[in-house]
Amino acid sequence: MKINKNYLNLEASYLFSTIANKVKAYSEANPGKHIIKLGIGDVTLPLCKDVVIAMERAVLEMGVQDTFRGYGPEQGYDFLKTPIKEYYSKHNVSLDIDEIFISDGAKSDLGNILDLFDTDNTVLVQDPVYPVYVDTNIMAGRKIKYLNSNAENGFLPLPTENDKADIIYLCSPNNPTGAVYNKEQLKQWVDFALENNSIILFDAAYECFISDETLPRSIFEIEGAKKCAIEFCSFSKTAGFTGTRCGYTVVPKDLVYEDTMINKLWLRRQTTKFNGVPYIVQKGAAAIFTENGQKEIMENINYYKENAKIITDALDKLGIWYTGGTNSPYIWLKCPNGMKSWEFFDYLLNNVQIVGTPGSGFGENGEGYFRLTSFGSRENTIEAMDRLLKHSLANV
Amino acid sequence: MKINKNYLNLEASYLFSTIANKVKAYSEANPGKHIIKLGIGDVTLPLCKDVVIAMERAVLEMGVQDTFRGYGPEQGYDFLKTPIKEYYSKHNVSLDIDEIFISDGAKSDLGNILDLFDTDNTVLVQDPVYPVYVDTNIMAGRKIKYLNSNAENGFLPLPTENDKADIIYLCSPNNPTGAVYNKEQLKQWVDFALENNSIILFDAAYECFISDETLPRSIFEIEGAKKCAIEFCSFSKTAGFTGTRCGYTVVPKDLVYEDTMINKLWLRRQTTKFNGVPYIVQKGAAAIFTENGQKEIMENINYYKENAKIITDALDKLGIWYTGGTNSPYIWLKCPNGMKSWEFFDYLLNNVQIVGTPGSGFGENGEGYFRLTSFGSRENTIEAMDRLLKHSLANV
């Protein structure tokens, strides 16, 4: 038996384990110090009440003969797909219900979708990048091209002739930079994809953080996108589902390559290699879309957005350059005084006991940058920024 | 963008939709008739009490700040992996905890595992076969060899020189035939795999139906299997989790091909393309392994096993040949009087209003055979067999 040797080309990622080790070492050497973690992308607020009630009910249903549910549709229940369809229509995107596929999260489907595409396709990702886009394509042996995302282009690069590729990843609001494409910029990407017969894999996992009504939450707000894009979304950040696992993928029926409907290929993939998301979890996700559910999750999202404002206010006072923070849970800052990413990591840990993520962990263009997240508690976020402000960074 | 053209080689499976259409047509033409469905592989009993209680608690935990859980380990929580490890040790199989990976079901992992293997490998499946083994390999463009499983070999074929292949699928207790390999037979497969550097993908989804203590529940009961096999199991049939979605995959650390530990490759695959099973669901699954949980699920399994006995007793009286039914939820019978599978399907539907699955839907060797399942209700199973016995099949 021959293994898939592409796996041997994967680089081991030590980013988060290195962070954990450094934090552990510091913590052991300085047992009295309170370390504040603003590095990871996981949420901290619990599930909202309506989601809990809906899941409790669903659990009880599963224990009673008459309401027990066995195998559900692999592509998800209509009781969840219907409110998602309505959510899109509020943003002027009209979808058919069979263009929506319920998933166990954006990460799974972002990897699994690649099943449908020839390994001979070239892939375009931005640097810095969410590592999953890169690793899943290395696993399949695809050629990867990198597009510079940097301060000059505001971490929102636009396509040029050099960037032609078959599969294009876009993430907006971006992880890790927090930058958000506007409609005109996204239109350039859609036109570029249509001209070059490319497909765009649009990661919309952070769309719920967009407050600016002029910014697109979905690529399907852009004309022509249904002919060249698949959208991945998740309830992880929208409703704190990181440990509950539910999201959705939108595959328009207008998406046709080599005379083949991608929607049909995906349905075939899912019915063959997937058995759907738990009934209980889908019931919980559906509760997000009730009037009260929407109110509750907006309270949580606003809590994180206020955290982001606390962080960006502090950075403004300190004169530190950043992207994100307004329509995104991530704040991507330039390390002060020309420090490198890991240098700044050590500096913050040692001087103010704040943990963030070194930008260089997301790619070469991340060097000299640093990611903070707004997913911490209010108390910790305030305390961390107080420490930053009190500790004059001029000392660096 | 070029699609994965292997998908175009998939044959559309109309098996279950054809059944549904025939049943619908009959039902509309004969509105008064009570149709009994013993065709599908879905369970009918609700989740047992301890599982419900555990999931209720977990749902409540998720709604409270202090007990909320975000991202969990992709490979599953130790609170579930530990009792699985203990379950194996009861059957004299010693596993390390990091050889166990919690999945959202055997079907997902049976498809996803193929990521790790070169597309150039040849695949051996048995005919009749669970269609997922075939389709997932067609999607990847692998060459598939078929091994005849038939009445002559008791639907338990053993390997010969002609059957050399890189990837070998075994399912025992078998779907669809219900046949179960004994240790000596399984040893032949393990030796064959070791000799030929093959890997066995062992589908143990129905292991809980084995009552005969001499029959192996796990391929790892066979010496040498840890060097050549991966095992897939599921709580779908064990505890009625078809709509709750949880299973596990055992990848031994001794499994090494081309100097590469398959366990490490799988961990890399799962951490990159998967985000774990919902905390709530894992808590429910862990409750299966408590003393009371085991008692409760055994009651359910015995309920289905008694259904199987009711079916096989009737077949015995009618002198109909079958496999399965004793250590399996499936009964695989030879259609009486030389009828073909679909002929017998129509005959049963029209004369006694019983719905089963035509064996020809599982492969060429299934022609002339028919699958019944024990997953119906007791009442329906008794009623169906009464009808069969009263309706002298001599009339056929």
Side-chain angles (χ1 to χ4, degrees):
Chain A
M1 200 281 295
K2 295 171 282 293
I3 63 161
N4 173 358
K5 287 178 197 67
N6 296 312
Y7 268 69
L8 307 181
N9 299 325
L10 289 165
E11 282 176 37
S13 170
Y14 295 118
L15 179 62
F16 287 99
S17 60
T18 306
I19 292 174
N21 290 340
K22 278 178 179 268
V23 171
K24 195 173 167 230
Y26 180 85
S27 170
E28 281 168 6
N30 302 275
K33 299 282 191 182
H34 170 217
I35 298 170
I36 297 177
K37 295 180 187 177
L38 299 178
I40 52 160
D42 202 356
V43 297
T44 47
L45 292 175
L47 295 181
C48 70
K49 216 171 67 183
D50 273 39
V51 170
V52 170
I53 292 169
M55 289 205 290
E56 262 193 288
R57 272 193 204 135
V59 167
L60 292 176
E61 281 178 49
M62 292 296 277
V64 177
Q65 182 76 65
D66 288 347
T67 51
F68 171 76
R69 303 269 186 143
Y71 289 120
E74 286 90 348
Q75 58 272 45
Y77 280 106
D78 280 359
F79 67 69
L80 177 54
K81 296 203 287 178
T82 301
I84 292 171
K85 180 179 143 79
E86 284 162 8
Y87 180 77
Y88 271 84
S89 72
K90 275 179 204 153
H91 300 104
N92 299 313
V93 175
S94 161
L95 296 177
D96 283 353
I97 201 150
D98 52 356
E99 296 181 313
I100 301 165
F101 296 79
I102 306 304
S103 75
D104 63 331
K107 183 173 146 188
S108 304
D109 273 12
L110 277 160
N112 294 336
I113 198 84
L114 295 172
D115 262 25
L116 313 187
F117 312 137
D118 199 296
T119 51
D120 193 33
N121 290 298
T122 53
V123 174
L124 184 73
V125 300
Q126 303 185 0
D127 172 353
V129 64
Y130 175 46
V132 163
Y133 309 156
V134 173
D135 290 347
T136 52
N137 280 293
I138 290 176
M139 286 170 174
R142 286 191 195 85
K143 199 188 149 203
I144 300 171
K145 293 168 73 173
Y146 290 86
L147 173 57
N148 285 321
S149 170
N150 52 33
E152 286 87 76
N153 54 39
F155 289 95
L156 291 168
L158 294 169
T160 69
E161 282 300 296
N162 293 330
D163 307 317
K164 280 185 186 172
D166 301 304
I167 300 169
I168 298 169
Y169 285 86
L170 295 178
C171 177
S172 177
N174 190 272
N175 178 16
T177 72
V180 188
Y181 281 113
N182 66 30
K183 283 186 184 170
E184 291 68 34
Q185 291 165 329
L186 222 45
K187 182 77 167 72
Q188 286 191 48
W189 277 109
V190 167
D191 290 344
F192 181 76
L194 291 171
E195 271 162 34
N196 297 298
N197 197 36
S198 312
I199 194 164
I200 294 173
L201 303 182
F202 190 77
D203 184 347
Y206 304 98
E207 60 85 23
C208 65
F209 285 88
I210 295 178
S211 331
D212 181 342
E213 288 293 325
T214 68
L215 293 173
R217 286 163 171 264
S218 162
I219 195 162
F220 300 122
E221 293 181 44
I222 311 302
E223 205 195 320
K226 280 188 181 175
K227 289 187 187 302
C228 67
I230 296 175
E231 182 159 294
F232 302 85
C233 203
S234 165
F235 302 123
S236 284
K237 310 298 155 71
T238 308
F241 268 50
T242 51
T244 305
R245 312 301 320 138
C246 195
Y248 56 86
T249 298
V250 179
V251 188
K253 286 187 277 189
D254 285 347
L255 207 59
V256 175
Y257 293 82
E258 301 184 307
D259 298 323
T260 308
M261 263 178 68
I262 301 301
N263 181 287
K264 274 196 181 173
L265 289 194
W266 181 240
L267 179 63
R268 192 61 156 95
R269 194 269 170 204
Q270 292 301 80
T271 50
T272 305
K273 292 197 187 181
F274 186 57
N275 245 328
V277 169
Y279 171 72
I280 297 158
V281 170
Q282 291 191 62
K283 274 286 175 184
I288 298 169
F289 292 97
T290 61
E291 202 184 320
N292 203 45
Q294 282 291 302
K295 217 185 94 197
E296 288 178 314
I297 64 155
M298 277 318 297
E299 278 168 23
N300 290 1
I301 292 167
N302 285 331
Y303 176 94
Y304 295 132
K305 287 171 80 77
E306 281 170 49
N307 283 350
K309 186 155 186 342
I310 291 162
I311 296 171
T312 56
D313 281 352
L315 297 179
D316 284 339
K317 279 184 197 157
L318 291 162
I320 292 176
W321 189 95
Y322 61 87
T323 54
T326 43
N327 293 290
S328 156
Y330 295 122
I331 298 99
W332 178 254
L333 60 94
K334 192 163 166 51
C335 304
N337 301 332
M339 273 197 277
K340 297 203 159 198
S341 299
W342 278 108
E343 231 180 308
F344 190 55
F345 176 91
D346 290 331
Y347 183 86
L348 286 184
L349 178 59
N350 290 316
N351 289 284
V352 286
Q353 296 79 50
I354 297 171
V355 177
T357 312
S360 55
F362 299 100
E364 283 177 24
N365 286 322
E367 182 59 277
Y369 289 88
F370 201 77
R371 192 187 78 173
L372 292 176
T373 92
S374 61
F375 291 125
S377 72
R378 175 64 42 79
E379 195 187 351
N380 278 341
T381 307
I382 290 173
E383 164 75 14
M385 292 306 114
D386 277 353
R387 289 186 197 169
L388 259 196
L389 290 167
K390 275 177 198 153
H391 178 88
S392 168
L393 280 170
N395 295 344
V396 175
Chain B
M1 201 283 295
K2 296 171 281 292
I3 62 161
N4 173 359
K5 287 178 197 66
N6 295 314
Y7 268 69
L8 306 181
N9 299 324
L10 289 164
E11 280 176 40
S13 168
Y14 295 117
L15 178 63
F16 287 99
S17 60
T18 306
I19 292 174
N21 290 340
K22 278 179 179 268
V23 171
K24 195 173 166 231
Y26 179 85
S27 171
E28 281 168 7
N30 303 274
K33 298 281 190 184
H34 171 216
I35 298 169
I36 297 176
K37 295 179 186 178
L38 299 178
I40 53 160
D42 202 357
V43 297
T44 47
L45 292 175
L47 295 181
C48 69
K49 217 172 65 183
D50 273 37
V51 170
V52 169
I53 292 169
M55 290 207 287
E56 263 193 289
R57 272 194 203 136
V59 167
L60 292 175
E61 281 179 49
M62 292 296 275
V64 177
Q65 182 75 67
D66 288 349
T67 51
F68 171 76
R69 302 270 186 142
Y71 290 119
E74 286 90 348
Q75 57 274 46
Y77 281 105
D78 280 359
F79 67 69
L80 177 54
K81 295 203 288 179
T82 302
I84 292 171
K85 179 179 144 76
E86 285 162 7
Y87 180 76
Y88 271 84
S89 73
K90 274 179 206 154
H91 299 104
N92 300 314
V93 175
S94 161
L95 296 177
D96 283 352
I97 201 150
D98 52 356
E99 296 182 313
I100 300 165
F101 296 79
I102 305 305
S103 75
D104 63 330
K107 182 174 145 187
S108 303
D109 273 11
L110 277 160
N112 294 336
I113 198 83
L114 295 172
D115 262 26
L116 314 187
F117 311 137
D118 200 294
T119 52
D120 193 34
N121 290 299
T122 53
V123 174
L124 184 73
V125 300
Q126 303 185 1
D127 172 354
V129 65
Y130 175 46
V132 164
Y133 310 156
V134 173
D135 290 347
T136 52
N137 280 295
I138 289 176
M139 286 171 173
R142 286 191 195 85
K143 199 188 149 203
I144 300 170
K145 292 169 74 173
Y146 290 85
L147 172 56
N148 284 322
S149 169
N150 52 35
E152 285 87 76
N153 54 38
F155 289 96
L156 291 168
L158 294 170
T160 68
E161 282 300 295
N162 293 330
D163 306 316
K164 280 187 187 171
D166 302 304
I167 301 169
I168 297 169
Y169 285 85
L170 295 178
C171 177
S172 177
N174 191 272
N175 177 15
T177 72
V180 188
Y181 281 114
N182 66 30
K183 284 185 185 172
E184 291 66 35
Q185 291 165 327
L186 223 44
K187 182 78 168 71
Q188 287 193 47
W189 278 108
V190 167
D191 290 344
F192 181 75
L194 290 171
E195 272 162 36
N196 297 297
N197 197 36
S198 312
I199 194 165
I200 294 174
L201 304 182
F202 190 78
D203 184 348
Y206 304 98
E207 59 87 22
C208 64
F209 285 88
I210 294 177
S211 332
D212 181 342
E213 290 293 325
T214 68
L215 294 173
R217 287 163 170 263
S218 163
I219 193 161
F220 301 121
E221 294 181 44
I222 311 303
E223 203 195 321
K226 280 189 181 175
K227 290 186 186 301
C228 68
I230 296 175
E231 181 159 296
F232 303 85
C233 202
S234 165
F235 303 122
S236 283
K237 309 298 155 68
T238 308
F241 267 50
T242 50
T244 305
R245 312 302 320 139
C246 196
Y248 56 87
T249 299
V250 179
V251 188
K253 287 188 277 188
D254 286 347
L255 207 58
V256 176
Y257 293 82
E258 301 184 306
D259 298 323
T260 308
M261 262 178 69
I262 301 300
N263 181 287
K264 276 196 180 174
L265 289 192
W266 181 241
L267 179 64
R268 193 61 156 95
R269 195 270 170 204
Q270 291 302 79
T271 50
T272 305
K273 292 198 187 179
F274 187 56
N275 245 327
V277 169
Y279 171 72
I280 298 159
V281 170
Q282 291 191 62
K283 274 287 176 184
I288 299 169
F289 293 97
T290 60
E291 202 184 319
N292 202 44
Q294 283 290 303
K295 217 185 93 196
E296 289 179 314
I297 65 157
M298 276 318 297
E299 277 169 21
N300 289 0
I301 291 166
N302 285 332
Y303 176 94
Y304 295 132
K305 287 170 80 77
E306 280 170 50
N307 283 350
K309 185 153 188 342
I310 290 163
I311 296 171
T312 55
D313 280 351
L315 297 179
D316 285 339
K317 278 184 199 157
L318 290 162
I320 292 176
W321 190 94
Y322 61 87
T323 54
T326 43
N327 293 288
S328 155
Y330 294 122
I331 298 99
W332 179 253
L333 62 95
K334 190 162 167 53
C335 304
N337 301 333
M339 273 197 274
K340 296 202 160 201
S341 299
W342 277 108
E343 230 181 311
F344 190 55
F345 176 92
D346 290 331
Y347 183 86
L348 285 185
L349 177 60
N350 290 318
N351 290 284
V352 285
Q353 295 79 51
I354 297 171
V355 177
T357 311
S360 56
F362 299 99
E364 283 177 23
N365 285 324
E367 182 59 277
Y369 289 88
F370 201 77
R371 191 188 78 173
L372 292 176
T373 93
S374 61
F375 292 125
S377 72
R378 174 64 40 82
E379 195 187 350
N380 278 340
T381 306
I382 290 173
E383 165 75 17
M385 292 306 114
D386 277 352
R387 290 186 197 170
L388 259 194
L389 289 167
K390 274 178 198 151
H391 178 88
S392 167
L393 280 171
N395 295 342
V396 175

